[in-house]
Amino acid sequence: MDEILIMELGLIGLGRMGANMARRLTQAGHPVIGYTRQPEKAEALVKEGAIAHGVF
């Protein structure tokens, strides 16, 4: 029997690299919590299912 492993992940920095990592992990079904100092960088990811934390 195959078991599906879902991990809750946190990323610090949602710039070019962090945003792409968060997007792929969210698409794979993992809950992603992202921290950023620039809220506009998190807006698209939140629409895709990520949870944003940071200085707003």
Side-chain angles (χ1 to χ4, degrees):
M1 178 186 289
D2 291 333
E3 185 176 326
I4 297 174
L5 179 64
I6 301 293
M7 297 184 300
E8 184 175 82
L9 303 159
L11 292 173
I12 298 172
L14 297 175
R16 182 175 291 160
M17 185 171 69
N20 284 327
M21 291 170 53
R23 184 171 289 110
R24 288 174 187 254
L25 290 165
T26 300
Q27 290 172 348
H30 300 284
V32 175
I33 301 170
Y35 176 86
T36 183
R37 295 182 299 170
Q38 299 170 332
E40 62 276 4
K41 292 192 175 192
E43 291 174 359
L45 294 171
V46 169
K47 290 178 185 174
E48 295 177 30
I51 300 167
H53 288 277
V55 179
F56 297 98

